Amino acid sequence: MDQLNQVAVYKKANVYFDGKVTSRTVMLPDGSKATLGIMLPGTYTFSTDQKERMDIQAGELEYRLENGDWIKIEGEGSFDIAAHSSFEVKVVSVVDYYCTYG
Amino acid sequence: MDQLNQVAVYKKANVYFDGKVTSRTVMLPDGSKATLGIMLPGTYTFSTDQKERMDIQAGELEYRLENGDWIKIEGEGSFDIAAHSSFEVKVVSVVDYYCTYG
């Protein structure tokens, strides 16, 4: 089982869209932040402060970056989002994701 | 912000009831397991192997232990579940919980 070692986890969840998107904040050994999250079926728009990398661990979705096309991920896949921008997702089946920042 | 330090977190989520209940497994420094989870509105039944302690961090629910009465928790509260038994929950608003085992 793939795991994150020697980390700190905030006990309080991050809850968005009435609980259809939730995540836990993890502080990695190098001091950087990551989140482990769940997205239930639906369409969501997120904005970014820092650059983000979304690693999809399971589930099916389509994502679209600003001025980009819809791109499908099924099962596993990753995409990078620029800082100070936004992205949309259409979640088809429960998505398990890992997001890193900066 | 209350956090768990020096832990390991399994990257893969635990997903139940079509994603309406999800959690992350955390391995604590003493080697014991815990989970940080979310329950969306709905009614669910869980069974236990080990003794469990459910710490409700946010949200509203009612729970019922085997042969017990419905008991309401709103916001924060805890309850203990015997090993090899089961409990029911009626979740009214998104619940953020922390569960410890044994």
Side-chain angles (χ1 to χ4, degrees):
Chain A
M1 172 75 75
D2 195 5
Q3 61 187 54
L4 302 168
N5 294 308
Q6 298 294 318
V7 299
V9 181
Y10 289 176
K11 286 181 77 176
K12 194 172 180 307
N14 310 306
V15 179
Y16 312 98
F17 302 104
D18 298 327
K20 295 182 79 173
V21 176
T22 60
S23 67
R24 299 287 168 178
T25 300
V26 179
M27 301 309 295
L28 301 176
D30 65 3
S32 64
K33 183 183 92 161
T35 51
L36 283 164
I38 296 285
M39 296 193 276
L40 298 189
T43 301
Y44 314 103
T45 302
F46 300 96
S47 56
T48 62
D49 294 325
Q50 299 172 281
K51 187 167 75 76
E52 292 182 20
R53 179 178 184 82
M54 283 284 280
D55 290 323
I56 306 306
Q57 308 188 113
E60 184 183 341
L61 64 82
E62 288 182 73
Y63 72 91
R64 176 167 64 176
L65 304 179
E66 267 177 14
N67 313 312
D69 298 323
W70 284 104
I71 297 171
K72 184 172 182 175
I73 291 180
E74 201 169 342
E76 293 184 13
S78 297
F79 57 99
D80 294 296
I81 311 102
H84 309 301
S85 75
S86 66
F87 64 101
E88 294 170 80
V89 291
K90 284 190 236 176
V91 176
V92 176
S93 65
V94 179
V95 162
D96 179 4
Y97 70 86
Y98 173 57
C99 181
T100 45
Y101 300 77
Chain B
M1 172 73 75
D2 195 6
Q3 64 187 54
L4 302 169
N5 293 308
Q6 298 295 317
V7 298
V9 182
Y10 290 174
K11 286 182 75 176
K12 194 173 181 307
N14 310 308
V15 179
Y16 312 98
F17 303 102
D18 296 328
K20 297 182 79 172
V21 177
T22 59
S23 68
R24 299 285 168 179
T25 299
V26 179
M27 300 309 296
L28 301 176
D30 66 2
S32 65
K33 181 183 93 160
T35 51
L36 284 163
I38 296 283
M39 296 192 277
L40 298 188
T43 300
Y44 314 103
T45 301
F46 301 95
S47 56
T48 63
D49 293 324
Q50 298 172 281
K51 190 166 73 78
E52 292 183 20
R53 178 177 185 83
M54 282 285 280
D55 291 323
I56 306 307
Q57 307 188 116
E60 184 183 340
L61 63 83
E62 287 183 69
Y63 72 91
R64 177 166 64 177
L65 303 179
E66 267 178 13
N67 311 312
D69 297 324
W70 285 104
I71 297 170
K72 185 172 179 174
I73 290 180
E74 203 168 342
E76 293 185 11
S78 298
F79 57 99
D80 293 297
I81 311 102
H84 310 299
S85 76
S86 67
F87 64 102
E88 296 169 81
V89 290
K90 283 190 243 179
V91 176
V92 176
S93 64
V94 179
V95 163
D96 179 5
Y97 71 85
Y98 174 58
C99 183
T100 46
Y101 300 78

